[in-house]
Amino acid sequence: VTVLDALAKVGSRDAAVAAQDFIDDILIQAPGIQQVDVTACFNAAMNAWAKSGTPISGERAHALLLSMRDHQVNKTLLVQPDLISYATCMDAYANSGNPEKAQDILRKLVYGGQMGMLVTLNRQIFNRAIKAWSTAAGSSISEDAPERAEGILDWMEELIQAGVLDTQPDYNSYNHCMAAWFKSNARNAASRMSKLLARMEDSYAAGNEDARPTSSNYRNIITKWSSQ
């Protein structure tokens, strides 16, 4: 795993290919490796793709995720995707400019029985999807990226009310949404940022310590209002 982690830190296509080769040539031929080691190796290889900066990184990471699930079902390797597996695949799609597919993974986790995950859903996996849309905001990838980011925040709150999710949105949940609007050229961007800050303040006032606003939130809203 240490070698794969080192390759992920390189952040290049060649490093990601080397990590992929490690999985293909060694792990697939060694079904006796302990479960936690194999899962960690697959996750590290996906992370190498996520950080590679290549347009195909999302598809390559997803292929590794599907391979993990196939080996789990067929019992050809002692491996099982965990929350890190899905989050890393989402990062790979986000970094390759495909927030829609990142959100699709989240959607399948929520509505598809969590696809054999070892752990339950938490706000971090939702924040990954919000950040994916926030990253795309202000680019030609999606003009409605801010709305899509905020839509996931709304979805989180709906799932909390339904008892599906038991952790409240945190600072990152709100901040990624505000960052998306900050990068937007929409005429109502400053207003939408202000409304998100109000929601953040209300959540914090209600006892959600993890949703405490910072000075940068207020500063960014002032900057956005002054530019519109």
Side-chain angles (χ1 to χ4, degrees):
V1 179
T2 302
V3 173
L4 291 170
D5 287 335
L7 288 170
K9 291 179 181 179
V10 173
S12 70
R13 185 183 186 282
D14 289 343
V17 171
Q20 180 81 54
D21 289 343
F22 185 92
I23 295 292
D24 293 342
D25 297 338
I26 298 177
L27 290 183
I28 305 305
Q29 301 174 27
I33 298 176
Q34 293 296 314
Q35 176 176 344
V36 63
D37 292 334
V38 178
T39 298
C41 286
F42 270 89
N43 289 347
M46 283 193 288
N47 192 34
W49 278 113
K51 294 181 177 179
S52 68
T54 63
I56 61 171
S57 60
E59 286 77 8
R60 290 299 181 89
H62 201 177
L64 283 168
L65 176 61
L66 294 176
S67 178
M68 291 176 76
R69 291 174 57 197
D70 287 344
H71 283 293
Q72 174 194 0
V73 171
N74 296 323
K75 298 181 180 180
T76 49
L77 275 178
L78 291 175
V79 63
Q80 184 171 9
D82 57 15
L83 195 64
I84 294 175
S85 310
Y86 293 99
T88 304
C89 188
M90 291 170 67
D91 286 345
Y93 273 127
N95 294 342
S96 59
N98 204 328
E100 186 69 63
K101 288 192 175 181
Q103 183 172 345
D104 188 53
I105 290 176
L106 175 62
R107 190 179 297 112
K108 290 178 178 177
L109 288 175
V110 175
Y111 296 121
Q114 298 187 14
M115 300 193 296
M117 282 175 49
L118 288 169
V119 293
T120 56
L121 293 170
N122 60 25
R123 65 189 171 205
Q124 280 73 31
I125 197 75
F126 283 84
N127 287 348
R128 285 308 218 289
I130 294 174
K131 186 179 180 181
W133 285 110
S134 181
T135 301
S139 69
S140 59
I141 296 174
S142 177
E143 294 182 357
D144 66 345
E147 287 91 346
R148 299 295 296 275
E150 194 170 338
I152 297 173
L153 176 62
D154 296 339
W155 187 24
M156 286 180 69
E157 295 178 342
E158 291 171 4
L159 291 174
I160 291 168
Q161 291 294 323
V164 176
L165 188 64
D166 60 4
T167 54
Q168 296 287 329
D170 63 3
Y171 172 83
N172 288 326
S173 311
Y174 295 103
N175 190 57
H176 290 324
C177 289
M178 284 189 278
W181 282 111
F182 186 80
K183 292 188 288 183
S184 171
N185 293 321
R187 296 180 63 181
N188 65 338
S191 176
R192 296 293 289 264
M193 288 178 68
S194 296
K195 290 178 180 178
L196 281 164
L197 179 59
R199 290 171 65 178
M200 191 178 188
E201 291 173 330
D202 289 345
S203 181
Y204 177 65
N208 182 6
E209 294 288 336
D210 295 326
R212 182 177 182 176
T214 66
S215 59
S216 63
N217 297 128
Y218 296 94
R219 185 167 55 249
N220 288 341
I221 289 177
I222 292 171
T223 299
K224 194 63 177 178
W225 274 114
S226 66
S227 66
Q228 291 193 319

